[in-house]
Amino acid sequence: SAVISQKPSRDICQRGTSLTIQCQVDSQVTMMFWYRQQPGQSLTLIATANQGSEATYESGFVIDKFPISRPNLTFSTLTVSNMSPEDSSIYLCSASARDFTEAFFGQGTRLTVV
Amino acid sequence: AQSVTQLDSHVSVSEGTPVLLRCNYSSSYSPSLFWYVQHPNKGLQLLLKYTSAATLVKGINGFEAEFKKSETSFHLTKPSAHMSDAAEYFCVVIETSGSRLTFGEGTQLTVNP
């Protein structure tokens, strides 16, 4: 199994600013992902974080708005840029081995943009 | 393409009565299926998973689910609900040939005393 530490756990930010969320896994994993969970809704995949290369973004998400880094197998960051109130959500980091017998999740970052 | 449909957005049961949370999936390949639970202000916790072994899967806290290929279903059940079961439940599918999880819309379970 893997334990994922995500920080900050919550933040309140001014519109127009940026927030970087960090995700640390306690073991080497193949795949890392970032999800968004808007209030009262399910999880939506933002992107797959690729080690040493550009992330793979899902439809509706772009690198300029959600830049992602993954410098090694156990660490990734997601930045929410030029925030607006519509970005208020829970952002979750996830990790799994390539066989996908299980996906592990961080506790999430609850972001409120005012 | 893969998809998952949770047939009920809200389920309300009395404590001590059975729980049934319904999930149907669509997948082009042999899927792996999961149920996750999310308690308020908590992270996602894996309840159980099906990965092409036994079709009846037992998970934590007395939950179980049965994979029925003919019905493309993976319903979650528990014989007797407890107050602590009140949470949001997500059915999740992943194709073994793919690399992403697809989440259902979630079912909010309420347990009444």
Side-chain angles (χ1 to χ4, degrees):
Chain A
S1 65
V3 176
I4 299 179
S5 301
Q6 190 175 332
K7 59 181 181 182
S9 59
R10 60 179 61 232
D11 207 341
I12 301 173
C13 300
Q14 297 289 324
R15 85 173 56 208
T17 63
S18 298
L19 175 71
T20 295
I21 304 168
Q22 298 182 359
C23 177
Q24 178 74 54
V25 188
D26 70 344
S27 58
Q28 291 191 350
V29 292
T30 305
M31 313 292 287
M32 292 184 75
F33 307 90
W34 287 97
Y35 288 85
R36 181 174 72 182
Q37 185 178 22
Q38 293 180 301
Q41 297 188 25
S42 186
L43 280 73
T44 300
L45 180 64
I46 297 172
T48 301
N50 301 310
Q51 185 204 355
S53 64
E54 191 172 291
T56 304
Y57 289 85
E58 298 298 305
S59 176
F61 298 96
V62 295
I63 188 171
D64 290 345
K65 177 66 175 177
F66 298 102
I68 289 171
S69 77
R70 188 180 174 191
N72 57 53
L73 284 174
T74 63
F75 184 77
S76 179
T77 67
L78 167 74
T79 299
V80 185
S81 303
N82 188 25
M83 289 183 285
S84 67
E86 292 70 35
D87 295 320
S88 298
S89 290
I90 298 173
Y91 293 85
L92 294 108
C93 172
S94 175
S96 67
R98 187 169 290 279
D99 62 1
F100 287 99
T101 54
E102 186 171 349
F104 304 94
F105 290 86
Q107 294 285 75
T109 296
R110 185 177 296 273
L111 171 63
T112 302
V113 183
V114 297
Chain B
Q2 60 191 27
S3 66
V4 61
T5 302
Q6 291 183 241
L7 299 172
D8 307 290
S9 59
H10 291 87
V11 170
S12 181
V13 301
S14 298
E15 189 174 20
T17 64
V19 175
L20 170 64
L21 305 183
R22 299 182 294 167
C23 172
N24 286 110
Y25 70 92
S26 172
S27 175
S28 302
Y29 301 95
S30 299
S32 292
L33 293 155
F34 307 81
W35 276 99
Y36 282 85
V37 61
Q38 186 179 39
H39 289 275
N41 300 315
K42 297 285 182 65
L44 285 158
Q45 181 183 21
L46 179 67
L47 274 180
L48 49 79
K49 59 186 177 184
Y50 166 77
T51 55
S52 75
T55 56
L56 182 61
V57 181
K58 294 187 183 298
I60 62 172
N61 300 335
F63 284 94
E64 62 181 41
E66 185 171 8
F67 174 73
K68 292 186 177 180
K69 187 174 182 179
S70 61
E71 299 176 9
T72 62
S73 69
F74 190 59
H75 301 335
L76 181 70
T77 61
K78 182 174 181 178
S80 176
H82 191 272
M83 295 297 291
S84 61
D85 294 328
E88 186 87 16
Y89 291 79
F90 294 98
C91 182
V92 182
V93 63
I94 183 169
E95 294 178 349
T96 53
S97 64
S99 63
R100 69 179 67 172
L101 302 173
T102 299
F103 280 77
E105 291 302 310
T107 299
Q108 181 68 48
L109 176 65
T110 300
V111 182
N112 302 306

